[in-house]
Amino acid sequence: MIARLVAELFTPDEVAVIEGDASVAQALLDLPFDHIFFTGSPAIGKVVMAAAARHLTSVTLELGGKSPTIVDETADLELAAKNILWAKFTNNGQTCIAPDHLFVHASVKDAFVQACQRVLREVYGESPQSSDCLARVVNERHTGRVRHLLDDAVAKGAKVLAGGTVDVADRFIAPTLLEGIPGEADIMREEIFGPLLPVFAYTDLDEVIARINADAKPLALYVWSRNNANESNIRKVMQQTTSGGACINHCVVQFLHGNLPFGGVNNSGIGSAHGHHGFKAFSHERAVVRTRIMLARMFFPPYTDLTRKLIRLFMRTV
């Protein structure tokens, strides 16, 4: 178990250093903590939860997943493009609540893509690799993993709408928009955690909701709509889906709001934190009763006729 944990979290060079202290890492997993709070991938979350189970230790797991974003036919396309791309490419896509893929209504899809292409040029210029506004991927190993997702998608028929450039040695992957991705592509199964953004056109919102519900529950869900008919599209998505958190006409700010609980559901996490919710996550609410008058003695045996009457009266009132 510890070997899998180290292999996923660190590069081979880092593993060589860490192996000398593997006993320390194993000792940490073996300790009977009162509570474990973990932020990371669902795969490692399962490792942590299994270790906690040996001591019946409670856990708060902030994991990840494939957070969908819906842009309907009434959305403010310019604002949506600027906000979604900011949310996606902050830290070069390496945030757990980044929009993972987009469902854009077919009637506005081309206009939305054009708006995104304009925003990318305005923000990162014609040469994103030289832009000081774009972060790098954390290491070469992860760069290679994201490049595989891109190459696999293109090999299976996806079309690059923007970006697509990769320099592994520089840990650079250009902000990339993709369309036409088939369901069997690896990018549709794995959390991307990088600067690749699949775009899908839709005509039936019910089909989008069905696709979202067919996958693991996401950490975040984003809806862009100016639908004024009782907010029917917004209401439908909110009522018929489940996610750790959600934003309407915004992205990622649910994480920044100190009065909101932050956490996932099932595969995207267990429990929540931030503000009062974080205080409760790290606390145990112990029930304490202190008495001065022992009313319970009325129910002590031996059971007389009066005792039985009192018990029957009590049972009718509770």
Side-chain angles (χ1 to χ4, degrees):
M1 179 173 64
I2 187 63
R4 288 187 320 192
L5 178 65
V6 170
E8 178 161 339
L9 291 179
F10 302 98
T11 67
D13 290 341
E14 291 167 333
V15 169
V17 176
I18 292 168
E19 282 178 344
D21 295 323
S23 60
V24 176
Q26 186 64 63
L28 284 173
L29 286 176
D30 289 339
L31 288 174
F33 290 105
D34 293 326
H35 185 79
I36 295 176
F37 188 103
F38 172 77
T39 298
S41 70
I44 300 302
K46 294 175 183 178
V47 174
V48 172
M49 192 170 182
R54 294 200 300 271
H55 302 286
L56 295 179
T57 297
S58 59
V59 296
T60 300
L61 304 177
E62 291 188 3
L63 307 178
K66 299 183 70 61
S67 297
T69 301
I70 299 171
V71 180
D72 80 1
E73 64 274 25
T74 71
D76 183 328
L77 300 184
E78 292 292 331
L79 180 59
K82 291 178 181 178
N83 183 272
I84 292 170
L85 297 187
W86 163 72
K88 175 62 179 182
F89 298 122
T90 293
N91 204 36
N92 214 1
Q94 298 165 107
T95 64
C96 58
I97 53 174
D100 184 89
H101 52 286
L102 307 183
F103 296 105
V104 184
H105 195 275
S107 65
V108 298
K109 184 249 186 180
D110 290 344
F112 176 77
V113 168
Q114 291 169 8
C116 288
Q117 292 167 335
R118 286 196 302 272
V119 170
L120 290 176
R121 287 194 298 269
E122 292 169 2
V123 174
Y124 303 116
E126 296 298 333
S127 178
Q129 191 167 0
S130 61
S131 172
D132 60 2
C133 295
L134 185 66
R136 290 297 185 263
V137 182
V138 64
N139 55 43
E140 288 189 17
R141 176 172 174 266
H142 186 55
T143 306
R145 187 192 73 84
V146 179
R147 181 181 66 175
H148 164 75
L149 296 179
L150 173 60
D151 292 344
D152 176 74
V154 172
K156 292 175 179 174
K159 177 183 177 182
V160 176
L161 299 174
T165 305
V166 179
D167 183 342
V168 175
D170 190 32
R171 297 177 288 111
F172 168 78
I173 298 178
T176 299
L177 304 178
L178 298 164
E179 70 173 358
I181 301 174
E184 66 270 17
D186 291 344
I187 198 172
M188 296 309 301
R189 293 190 294 269
E190 297 183 25
E191 180 181 3
I192 298 172
F193 213 73
L196 310 180
L197 186 56
V199 181
F200 301 95
Y202 78 91
T203 55
D204 187 344
L205 185 60
D206 289 329
E207 291 182 2
V208 172
I209 291 172
R211 287 185 61 175
I212 292 172
N213 290 335
D215 292 331
K217 296 179 178 64
L219 182 59
L221 173 66
Y222 305 117
V223 182
W224 285 82
S225 175
R226 291 184 294 185
N227 190 298
N228 293 320
N230 296 320
E231 296 190 326
S232 59
N233 286 352
I234 297 170
R235 189 185 306 275
K236 175 180 283 190
V237 174
M238 291 295 102
Q239 290 181 345
Q240 297 183 21
T241 63
T242 300
S243 63
C247 286
I248 298 168
N249 294 324
H250 216 317
C251 295
V252 308
V253 293
Q254 78 278 17
F255 177 85
L256 303 175
H257 199 305
N259 292 324
L260 292 177
F262 179 74
V265 182
N266 298 135
N267 192 71
S268 58
I270 296 174
S272 58
H274 289 192
H276 178 67
H277 308 279
F279 178 82
K280 292 186 68 175
F282 287 100
S283 304
H284 168 66
E285 296 173 291
R286 180 169 61 173
V288 178
V289 175
R290 182 172 182 174
T291 185
R292 295 181 183 278
I293 302 174
M294 183 62 68
L295 296 178
R297 71 178 61 195
M298 293 186 297
F299 305 109
F300 291 176
Y303 298 120
T304 65
D305 289 341
L306 177 59
T307 303
R308 290 187 173 88
K309 289 180 181 178
L310 289 173
I311 292 174
R312 285 194 294 269
L313 177 62
F314 176 76
M315 295 301 295
R316 285 198 297 269
T317 60
V318 297

